[in-house]
Amino acid sequence: MLVEDEEDLANEIKAELEGDGYLVRRLSIADAADAAAMSDAAMLILDRIHHGIDSLHTVQIIRKQGAKIPVLIISACSSADDVAEGLRAGADDYLPKPFYMVELVARVEAMLRRLGDISTTRLIVGDLEIDLLEGTAFKASAKLNLLPREFKLLEYFARRPGQLITRAMLLKDVWQYDFEVETNVVDTHISNLRKKIDEHGLPSRIANVRGLGYMLRPHAA
C-alpha cells in the first residue's frame, strides 16, 4: 500500500515496484489506518507530510490498533531528529527524500525478507489460514486435505501474498533444487493445490503471471 501525494513520485514508485512483481495499491491518508488494520497487504509506504498533514499520527494509530504491518516512511524531513521521531512513532524504516528508486526497492525487499523470517505460528490470507505448529490448513474454516509438499507450497505463497513467485524460486526454495532442471513438478503440484483451494467458477487463487510465474491472490476474484 502506498500513500504519497506527489503524483509523479507516486506513479514512479508504483511503476518501479510493479516492474519487480509487486502489486501496489494507492491510498489516501484518511484510509491508511483502517486499511492497515484490515488489509492483507505486505507493507505500507507512507509519505510523512501528506497534503500538509504529518502522518506520524497515522502510524501511531496503526500501532495502537495492534496492526503489525511493516511501515516505511518516505519524507523530505530528513534530519536525524526527524528519522528518530518517525521510528519512535512506530515506523520500521525511514527513507529521506530525494532517493534513488533502487534504494527504495532494496528497503522494501529487506523489510519483506525480515517479515518472512519472523517466527509465527499462523498465516492468514483472506479465507485461507495455515497453522504452522499443527501443519494444517483451512479454507473458510474447513480443513484442507493437503499432501506435505502441497502444504509447503501453500505456506510459501501465503508468506508472499500479491508477490510474483517464479518457477525458479519454487524449485530452489520448496524443492531445494540449486540448478536448472526440466520438470513439470511445479505445475503439477500447483494444479493439485488449486483444486483444493479454488471456488468453482471463479478465477484461481493462484494466478498465472504470463511468462513470469505465479501470484497468490489475497481474495477470490
Side-chain angles (χ1 to χ4, degrees), residues 14 18 28 39 41-42 77 85 89 92 122 127 144 153 161 165 177 188 202 213:
K14 189 172 188 294
E18 289 184 338
S28 69
S39 174
C77 302
E85 190 176 15
D92 298 272
R122 195 171 295 269
D127 62 352
L144 295 169
L153 187 60
I165 306 297
Y177 289 146
T188 299
L202 293 178

Side-chain angles (χ1 to χ4, degrees), residues 103-118:
E103 181 178 5
L104 174 72
V105 173
R107 299 281 186 114
V108 168
E109 290 174 345
M111 291 176 71
L112 294 181
R113 188 163 56 246
R114 290 197 298 271
L115 179 66
D117 290 340
I118 292 175

Side-chain angles (χ1 to χ4, degrees), residues 105-214:
V105 173
R107 299 281 186 114
V108 168
E109 290 174 345
M111 291 176 71
L112 294 181
R113 188 163 56 246
R114 290 197 298 271
L115 179 66
D117 290 340
I118 292 175
S119 178
T120 183
T121 62
R122 195 171 295 269
L123 299 172
I124 300 175
V125 182
D127 62 352
L128 296 173
E129 184 172 344
I130 301 173
D131 187 323
L132 299 175
L133 285 181
E134 296 295 330
T136 53
F138 302 84
K139 182 179 183 296
S141 299
K143 187 175 180 180
L144 295 169
N145 183 22
L146 300 180
L147 298 175
R149 189 74 70 177
E150 292 168 351
F151 180 86
K152 190 170 183 179
L153 187 60
L154 181 60
E155 177 191 343
Y156 191 85
F157 276 106
R159 289 185 182 275
R160 301 159 180 82
Q163 182 178 338
L164 172 67
I165 306 297
T166 67
R167 291 180 77 257
M169 291 168 64
L170 294 173
L171 286 170
K172 180 178 183 297
D173 297 334
V174 178
W175 276 268
Q176 281 79 54
Y177 289 146
D178 290 324
F179 51 89
E180 290 292 329
V181 60
E182 289 294 330
T183 177
N184 64 351
V185 65
V186 171
D187 310 273
T188 299
H189 277 78
I190 286 181
S191 176
N192 292 337
L193 181 58
R194 282 170 168 162
K195 293 174 184 176
K196 297 179 180 182
I197 68 173
D198 287 347
E199 293 284 349
H200 180 69
L202 293 178
S204 177
R205 291 291 294 275
I206 301 176
N208 282 327
V209 181
R210 190 177 180 87
L212 297 174
Y214 307 94

